[in-house]
Amino acid sequence: MKKFYVTTPIYYINAAPHIGHAYTTVAADVLARFYRHRGTAVHFLTGTDEHGLKIEQAAKEAGKSPQEFADAVSEKFRQLWKHLDITFDDYIRTTEPRHEDKVQEIFAALIKSGDIYKGHYSGYYCVSDETFWTEKEAPPDHKTGKRLCPNPDCHRELSLVEEDNWFFKLSKYQERLLAHYKADPDFLSPKHRGNEILSRVKEGLQDISVSRAKVKWGVPVPNDPEHTVYVWFDALLNYVSAASGCDDIWPADVHIVGKEIYWFHAAIWPAMLMAAGLPLPLKVFAHGWWTVEGQKMSKSKGNFVDPYEITREFGVDAFRFFLLREMPFGNDGDFSIKTLKIRYNADLANDLGNLVSRVENLIDANMKGALPARSNPEKDFYPKQVASRTAEYAACMERLDFSGALGVIWSVVGQLNERVNSEAPWKLFKSKDPADHEKAKTLLFDVVWCLRIIGGWIEPFMPRKMAEMQARLGVRQYPDALSAEDVLQGKEKGIGKIQKGPPLFPRKT
Ligand code: MSP
């Protein structure tokens, strides 16, 4: 059985990981957990991109060899993923022999087939973006005369490159790419970002340089050791090299990437795969970018948000939740502690956390923690109605609409709060009429069951808190949460009793 294969970009190791890297990796983890929860076998790949001029220079500045430098920073990424409960199945580093060998194998095969050929390159190069630019794409600045990187988020000065190097026949694949985009409209997602790619490919494609003559820190070109493979050609192949030797992984089901590297993944990468005769990934999804308090994160501004700082204050689960709740996946958004706090207090401390505390306290005070049986187990069985929204939730998750999925969940949380407020079980328990007590018990029974189900839906986003919530609601022993389906099918592994505890999400002031 083919596994569901999800990937993140492999991150450059010139600097420590920040919230932007965490965003993509958390999203991929949420998707991986969602599929695993459903019983699908998953292969989740992340890793680090370690070659190229940018790394060579960063290592030099740090007074280390590129490999020493790569070892240290790659480890920082790994540690952060551990801290954020990222459940990757494989972690690839482009300096590993399994990857370098594959790059050389494919490069040699494409030389043989004529898709890679020797030529002369004259143009401009952005070291920070590791991107080639033509004279036309990067005209001289009218004031300074300098050529700057056309990427609006970069704008660094370009260096002139004049060298004989190897080219990939990207131009040959224009028609096939267009035909593929047409035949499979979901391949490029979301639509608005796909459309940008489509019009750029329609404009025509030029062959691209795929080796560097003067860069030492890279994979040597087979039989031409003066050249190293262009770092993007090398890096993109990680998705295949990590899957090689296993027949249940490739093609990827989804590559999740940031919008700034969509061109590489949506045009160059599929053309490379076509040239290599390999199947294409099923979907390439480009999400948007976070700014921080209205500003782009940058070295000069020194405003990189450190995930450790945020999780120290808000916890890992709330951080994971916020990233995917706050901005629709695919759009851009702004990060600030203020919005995080507002979201935390509203959604987590109030809506969900208070609801859990209320039912726990009521059951503890009035029923000594035992959840009574419903007097009529079938009549208006509210948890079934709630569970019927699983399909809606799952459809959002399948199309990577994480904020949509959380929207479905929080609309149910809202309904539960309304029911509790309007039926006021604390009053019903004080009534002398036994029917009122029955009504209160039925309400609590329903809310507990709904929360157990919701815990299954939220698990991919907040695995620790949901395991804790389900354990306290008597349905599960720490450490894993149950899926909504498991809850409804009565796969109880917990002690059945409701155990009240401290607030799940203590309010932040
Ligand atoms: N090494 C290349 C990718 C090669 S993949 C074959 C690279 N690395 S990177 O370290 O620069 O990471 C870029 C990725 O980090 C983005 O595509 C995105 O996934 C994530 N982000 C970095 N900054 C970000 C924001 N400010 N906002 C959201 N995500 C961003 O490019």
Side-chain angles (χ1 to χ4, degrees):
M1 263 279 276
K2 158 105 177 58
K3 289 183 175 147
F4 181 88
Y5 183 23
V6 51
T7 69
T8 71
I10 47 170
Y11 302 108
Y12 287 131
I13 42 116
N14 57 311
H18 57 66
I19 183 188
H21 308 115
Y23 181 51
T24 321
T25 310
V26 165
D29 187 59
V30 166
L31 196 67
R33 285 175 180 270
F34 164 74
Y35 278 102
R36 284 195 206 107
H37 229 203
R38 277 179 148 189
T40 307
V42 168
H43 190 77
F44 168 17
L45 175 74
T46 188
T48 42
D49 187 356
E50 308 189 355
H51 290 129
L53 200 51
K54 173 161 145 155
I55 309 301
E56 200 175 276
Q57 290 179 352
K60 206 166 165 197
E61 266 172 40
K64 289 189 175 163
S65 75
Q67 189 64 61
E68 260 179 324
F69 185 72
D71 290 348
V73 187
S74 183
E75 188 53 31
K76 280 194 186 163
F77 275 88
R78 219 184 243 276
Q79 278 166 7
L80 177 62
W81 303 152
K82 190 163 179 221
H83 176 66
L84 295 179
D85 286 326
I86 304 298
T87 54
F88 59 78
D89 296 290
D90 191 5
Y91 188 90
I92 190 154
R93 300 182 53 190
T94 53
T95 48
E96 287 174 68
R98 63 167 169 160
H99 173 73
E100 294 186 342
D101 292 352
K102 195 77 192 169
V103 171
Q104 288 197 320
E105 179 193 314
I106 292 186
F107 207 96
L110 298 198
I111 291 178
K112 202 165 167 213
S113 70
D115 270 327
I116 289 183
Y117 62 93
K118 200 87 185 250
H120 183 75
Y121 184 81
S122 165
Y124 293 87
Y125 195 77
C126 173
V127 179
S128 175
D129 284 354
E130 298 279 16
T131 302
F132 291 98
W133 298 102
T134 61
E135 276 191 4
K136 210 171 117 203
E137 287 167 331
D141 183 79
H142 59 278
K143 276 196 208 130
T144 61
K146 288 181 180 163
R147 292 186 194 258
L148 303 180
C149 178
N151 170 2
D153 288 325
C154 179
H155 269 321
R156 289 180 180 81
E157 191 173 351
L158 301 176
S159 27
L160 177 68
V161 175
E162 272 279 358
E163 60 191 32
D164 285 335
N165 58 27
W166 294 90
F167 283 76
F168 170 58
K169 270 193 195 161
L170 183 61
S171 59
K172 177 175 155 189
Y173 292 95
Q174 182 190 19
E175 290 311 318
R176 276 182 67 186
L177 283 172
L178 290 173
H180 188 76
Y181 301 150
K182 198 166 171 197
D184 186 357
D186 287 337
F187 177 70
L188 300 180
S189 294
K191 273 257 154 349
H192 65 281
R193 300 213 186 276
N195 289 340
E196 288 170 22
I197 300 291
L198 197 65
S199 41
R200 196 165 154 191
V201 174
K202 274 187 188 153
E203 277 169 24
L205 295 173
Q206 285 180 357
D207 294 352
I208 56 166
S209 165
V210 289
S211 75
R212 294 300 313 271
K214 297 188 188 88
V215 178
K216 293 274 167 302
W217 183 238
V219 180
V221 169
N223 302 318
D224 192 3
E226 290 302 300
H227 286 254
T228 53
V229 175
Y230 170 42
V231 62
W232 266 103
F233 194 91
D234 160 355
L236 286 162
L237 284 168
N238 89 87
Y239 304 126
V240 161
S241 61
S244 72
C246 313
D247 52 16
D248 55 354
I249 298 181
W250 190 259
D253 290 79
V254 56
H255 293 310
I256 303 180
V257 302
K259 63 177 183 180
E260 84 294 355
I261 57 173
Y262 203 32
W263 175 251
F264 288 101
H265 284 83
I268 298 177
W269 176 228
M272 284 167 63
L273 287 166
M274 286 171 181
L278 290 166
L280 302 194
L282 303 187
K283 192 192 281 298
V284 189
F285 193 103
H287 65 66
W289 263 45
W290 286 98
T291 50
V292 173
E293 316 226 325
Q295 308 245 5
K296 187 186 173 274
M297 278 185 281
S298 75
K299 221 178 180 178
S300 53
K301 291 197 192 87
N303 61 346
F304 288 111
V305 176
D306 175 2
Y308 288 106
E309 242 171 64
I310 309 297
T311 57
R312 208 171 297 130
E313 189 175 348
F314 291 89
V316 165
D317 281 26
F319 175 64
R320 291 172 57 110
F321 166 81
F322 177 77
L323 290 178
L324 296 168
R325 168 76 159 150
E326 192 63 15
M327 75 181 189
F329 205 55
N331 293 7
D332 295 325
D334 188 53
F335 181 89
S336 73
I337 296 290
K338 195 174 150 211
T339 44
L340 170 54
K341 202 179 275 177
I342 291 172
R343 194 49 102 176
Y344 177 96
N345 281 335
D347 288 4
L348 299 181
N350 283 357
D351 292 353
L352 181 62
N354 266 352
L355 180 62
V356 173
S357 297
R358 264 170 146 184
V359 297
E360 281 177 1
N361 288 332
L362 281 163
I363 293 171
D364 188 73
N366 297 290
M367 294 173 265
K368 297 196 176 69
L371 186 65
R374 229 174 176 267
S375 49
N376 184 338
E378 290 303 324
K379 189 169 169 282
D380 300 328
F381 188 44
Y382 192 58
K384 265 224 158 106
Q385 280 175 42
V386 166
S388 71
R389 298 192 69 182
T390 301
E392 195 185 336
Y393 153 81
C396 290
M397 296 295 277
E398 282 168 15
R399 53 172 195 271
L400 284 76
D401 177 6
F402 301 115
S403 60
L406 289 167
V408 170
I409 300 170
W410 257 260
S411 82
V412 173
V413 171
Q415 285 163 10
L416 293 175
N417 274 313
E418 271 168 32
R419 236 190 107 180
V420 172
N421 287 338
S422 72
E423 294 188 30
W426 49 92
K427 281 190 196 151
L428 295 172
F429 276 123
K430 286 194 189 122
S431 154
K432 298 223 160 58
D433 183 352
D436 282 343
H437 287 227
E438 278 314 304
K439 199 176 164 200
K441 285 177 181 172
T442 298
L443 170 70
L444 290 177
F445 182 93
D446 284 3
V447 175
V448 165
W449 272 88
C450 291
L451 284 170
R452 289 169 170 178
I453 290 168
I454 287 171
W457 290 343
I458 306 176
E459 187 275 349
F461 300 89
M462 297 195 284
R464 286 194 217 178
K465 287 288 180 188
M466 289 307 102
E468 189 185 334
M469 185 180 94
Q470 285 190 339
R472 275 162 56 169
L473 295 176
V475 77
R476 185 58 154 163
Q477 299 280 10
Y478 213 61
D480 328 300
L482 284 179
S483 71
E485 291 82 357
D486 286 349
V487 169
L488 260 193
Q489 283 163 18
K491 282 196 190 158
E492 292 191 34
K493 302 242 173 83
I495 58 166
K497 268 204 153 188
I498 310 300
Q499 306 161 80
K500 74 175 189 175
L504 264 184
F505 302 100
R507 230 190 128 69
K508 302 285 171 199
T509 47

